Amino acid sequence: MSLAGASATLRKHGLIKSPLARNLGLTGLMLVAVGLAVAALRHILQETSWSEIRGSIEQIGHARLLASLGFTVVSYIVLTGYDVLSLRMIGRRVSYPRAALASFTSYIFSHNFGFAPLTGGTARLRIYRLAGLMLGEIAQIMLMAGLAFWLSVLLFFAIGLVAHPGVYVSDGLNIPYAAQAAAGGMILSALAGYLVLLHFRTGRPVRLFGWSLTLPTVRVALLQLLIGGVDLFVATAALFVLLPEATSVSLFPAVLLAYLAGLVSGLITHAPGGVGVFEVVMLLALPQFDPAALMGALLVYRVVYFLLPLMVGILLFSAHECIYWRRPNGALRDVAEATS
């Protein structure tokens, strides 16, 4: 069960009644998850010294660091495609720079701070409201982008399960390929069913969480899956190039599946940036790597893919807000819209 699901269960049984209490409860559960992850991380690395990790970081070199930076830039550019497609779906024209700013700041805030609907949603709300979008339209962009992301994760995960035998065979873990392939096949079948559903319901909105949601066409859905697939591939590549130089390209599928597992685990726990959780999953899922070398690569990756973009995102969002608030009557207009 995810933290959101746990919070819902507590609310259902009357243990959490107010929004403040629910948020505090969810935050508490997140802190527990992070604490457990940090404890697990210390256990996994108990035979690894900091000097070994630091030595592995020093061996990365400028060339591989620049390659990781390049893949990171491409990843965030690709992510803007979710917003561009969603805007076309709802028939709203927004300039690409504004859509790119909304996408970048939304993803970078949610990646680093967790609680995506609140952190990333606030960025999209502030930026798109200035373009004249209504709350319902912004909510639809968020829902469609989130749905496309999760479907892309499932697609890559299923392909990996079917095409990469033995990925879950290691010390203490031995899942037969038949079971692995069966799980991948069921996921692929469910995705195919989703596309069939879209074919028959194209143009007919559905009600979801109180909102009227316009479903994408099959063509748009395939484009969303392509965007998600490219992003996940490139984001994994940003980490892969930081691994030891002797790492064989044949290990990329295993790193990709471990990356997906770590990413999803971090999102489920709402841990800021998946801190601790992501590292634990990666270390457990990739026993073929030296722990010091893998941990060093993960630390550099966290700086490159999370912290540096966060600094850029904060600067861009702050500049956006400063420009807006310096406009005449900008603040008064927002108050009027919020109370109308």
Side-chain angles (χ1 to χ4, degrees):
M1 178 186 293
S2 69
L3 293 183
S7 179
T9 301
L10 294 174
R11 184 172 64 253
K12 177 181 178 182
H13 292 284
L15 298 178
I16 297 181
K17 297 181 179 181
S18 70
L20 176 59
R22 288 197 298 270
N23 291 333
L24 289 175
L26 192 59
T27 301
L29 291 172
M30 179 268 290
L31 292 175
V32 169
V34 172
L36 291 174
V38 172
L41 195 60
R42 292 183 61 182
H43 177 73
I44 294 170
L45 298 174
Q46 61 182 339
E47 298 181 0
T48 303
S49 66
W50 170 247
S51 61
E52 291 177 303
I53 297 175
R54 184 173 57 192
S56 69
I57 293 175
E58 293 172 351
Q59 293 177 7
I60 289 177
H62 294 92
R64 285 189 287 159
L65 183 60
L66 288 174
S68 182
L69 284 168
F71 282 124
T72 296
V73 172
V74 173
S75 174
Y76 282 105
I77 291 175
V78 171
L79 280 174
T80 64
Y82 284 140
D83 281 53
V84 171
L85 284 178
S86 298
L87 286 165
R88 289 183 179 178
M89 282 177 53
I90 63 177
R92 298 305 298 261
R93 292 184 176 274
V94 175
S95 66
Y96 178 75
R98 183 179 293 277
L101 177 62
S103 171
F104 176 69
T105 54
S106 174
Y107 285 117
I108 201 58
F109 291 164
S110 60
H111 282 170
N112 282 275
F113 302 136
F115 302 102
L118 176 62
T119 57
T122 298
R124 278 196 174 102
L125 177 65
R126 292 294 304 165
I127 294 169
Y128 281 137
R129 285 290 276 172
L130 294 182
L133 271 66
M134 305 300 292
L135 288 176
E137 294 172 324
I138 299 171
Q140 176 151 315
I141 293 173
M142 293 171 58
L143 284 171
M144 292 310 304
L147 177 62
F149 168 78
W150 282 105
L151 291 178
S152 300
V153 170
L154 288 174
L155 175 62
F156 255 58
F157 190 66
I159 292 174
L161 289 175
V162 173
H164 194 61
V167 69
Y168 290 120
V169 176
S170 61
D171 294 338
L173 180 66
N174 189 351
I175 298 178
Y177 174 68
Q180 178 182 313
M186 287 190 291
I187 295 174
L188 291 174
S189 298
L191 291 174
Y194 168 69
L195 294 177
V196 172
L197 173 66
L198 293 183
H199 174 73
F200 288 103
R201 291 193 64 91
T202 296
R204 296 164 59 188
V206 296
R207 300 288 297 180
L208 185 64
F209 305 123
W211 299 97
S212 179
L213 179 65
T214 301
L215 293 175
T217 63
V218 174
R219 177 176 176 275
V220 170
L222 290 175
L223 286 174
Q224 289 174 326
L225 290 174
L226 176 62
I227 290 170
V230 172
D231 169 61
L232 292 171
F233 184 92
V234 174
T236 304
L239 170 62
F240 190 79
V241 295
L242 297 172
L243 296 172
E245 289 186 88
T247 301
S248 171
V249 177
S250 62
L251 288 175
F252 186 85
V255 175
L256 174 59
L257 284 176
Y259 180 88
L260 292 176
L263 179 66
V264 171
S265 298
L267 291 172
I268 289 175
T269 60
H270 292 285
V275 62
V277 179
F278 179 75
E279 285 80 5
V280 167
V281 172
M282 293 294 292
L283 287 165
L284 291 176
L286 297 171
Q288 60 268 57
F289 287 96
D290 174 66
L294 180 54
M295 190 63 197
L298 290 171
L299 289 174
V300 175
Y301 180 75
R302 184 164 290 282
V303 173
V304 171
Y305 196 84
F306 290 88
L307 298 183
L308 288 180
L310 175 62
M311 294 172 61
V312 175
I314 290 175
L315 289 174
L316 291 175
F317 189 74
S318 298
H320 171 271
E321 291 297 287
C322 287
I323 292 172
Y324 172 66
W325 285 102
R326 290 179 64 181
R327 292 169 56 185
N329 300 323
L332 292 177
R333 184 169 56 255
D334 260 6
V335 174
E337 290 176 349
T339 57
S340 61

